[in-house]
């Protein structure tokens, strides 16, 4: 029994020393997510974290510039992070808004345009959604919906239609419910 515990302990120590020498993407992602969850200013928001070769992409929709700045600072100050790509938008009451503009290749521009067209087409076809009132922008596979809807059901339907569209990596909704 003592031999198994010793072998297990050696394995855990070896794994921890490996992680301290190299910082795989999964570990970086977990560290960033833990920081975001623990922070009072950022905690109420859902911020997605993707990591590739040390580069962290954060996406989400927050209510204030302060929350956005804090989320970006926490990500940048995480050990192993080489770069942070900001895909966080600050919600506004406006019906028009711009998606972030990260550096993209021509292929990524084309892919995003295709996703935008598919989402817009599906919104226009859906009987529960007034697709003409919703602006669709796509950046790096993340769809940004902006505009006004008649009720929460229409809002949730629009979000679900976008999420279920081929190629969509995430959805950020800046949709306001209009009472008129």
């Amino acid at each position: 029994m003592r031999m198994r515990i010793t072998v297990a302990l050696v394995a855990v120590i070896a794994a921890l020393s490996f992680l301290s020498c190299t910082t795989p993407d999964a570990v970086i992602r977990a560290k960033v997510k833990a920081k975001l969850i623990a922070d009072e200013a950022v905690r109420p928001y859902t911020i997605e974290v993707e990591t590739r070769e040390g580069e962290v992409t954060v996406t989400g929709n927050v209510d204030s510039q302060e929350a956005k700045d804090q989320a970006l600072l926490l990500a940048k100050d995480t050990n192993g992070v080489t770069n942070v790509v900001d895909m966080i938008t600050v919600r506004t009451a406006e019906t028009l808004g711009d998606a972030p503009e990260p550096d993209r290749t021509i292929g990524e521009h084309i892919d995003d345009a295709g996703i935008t067209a598919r989402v817009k087409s599906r919104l226009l076809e859906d009987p529960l959604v007034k697709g003409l009132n919703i602006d669709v922008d796509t950046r790096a596979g993340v769809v940004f919906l902006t505009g006004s809807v008649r009720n929460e059901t229409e809002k949730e339907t629009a979000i679900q239609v976008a999420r279920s569209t081929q190629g969509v990596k995430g959805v950020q909704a800046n949709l306001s419910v209009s009472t008129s």
Side-chain angles (χ1 to χ4, degrees):
M1 179 70 152
R2 182 171 273 244
M3 179 68 156
R4 277 192 258 170
I5 293 172
T6 305
V7 170
L9 184 57
V10 168
V12 168
I13 291 170
L16 289 174
S17 68
F18 172 76
L19 290 177
S20 67
C21 295
T22 63
T23 312
D25 289 333
V27 174
I28 294 171
R29 182 179 180 278
K31 287 179 182 179
V32 172
K33 285 295 279 185
K35 283 183 168 185
L36 295 175
I37 291 168
D39 190 271
E40 297 271 335
V42 181
R43 182 180 334 159
Y45 306 107
T46 302
I47 297 178
E48 296 298 320
V49 178
E50 295 295 325
T51 308
R52 185 172 179 210
E53 298 177 8
E55 181 175 84
V56 173
T57 302
V58 287
T59 59
N61 215 347
V62 297
D63 289 335
S64 70
Q65 186 64 44
E66 293 78 25
K68 176 180 177 171
D69 293 344
Q70 182 64 11
L72 294 173
L73 179 65
L74 292 170
K76 287 176 185 169
D77 287 344
T78 301
N79 191 25
V81 173
T82 58
N83 186 39
V84 176
V85 178
D86 173 15
M87 298 290 287
I88 298 174
T89 58
V90 178
R91 290 183 188 121
T92 64
E94 299 172 6
T95 57
L96 297 175
D98 294 325
E101 191 60 61
D103 290 334
R104 296 180 291 167
T105 65
I106 190 69
E108 290 169 324
H109 277 280
I110 292 169
D111 291 346
D112 287 344
I115 292 169
T116 297
R118 284 192 296 275
V119 170
K120 188 65 173 182
S121 175
R122 291 187 69 209
L123 289 173
L124 290 170
E125 291 171 354
D126 193 286
L128 298 176
V129 178
K130 281 189 146 187
L132 292 175
N133 294 341
I134 299 174
D135 179 53
V136 180
D137 287 312
T138 306
R139 301 292 185 268
V142 177
V143 173
F144 293 82
L145 302 175
T146 308
S148 63
V149 292
R150 295 166 291 187
N151 52 48
E152 286 295 322
T153 302
E154 183 180 6
K155 179 178 179 178
E156 291 305 315
T157 302
I159 293 168
Q160 187 54 40
V161 165
R163 276 194 184 124
S164 64
T165 301
Q166 179 186 359
V168 173
K169 294 179 183 175
V171 176
Q172 299 302 317
N174 187 18
L175 298 170
S176 60
V177 178
S178 174
T179 55
S180 56

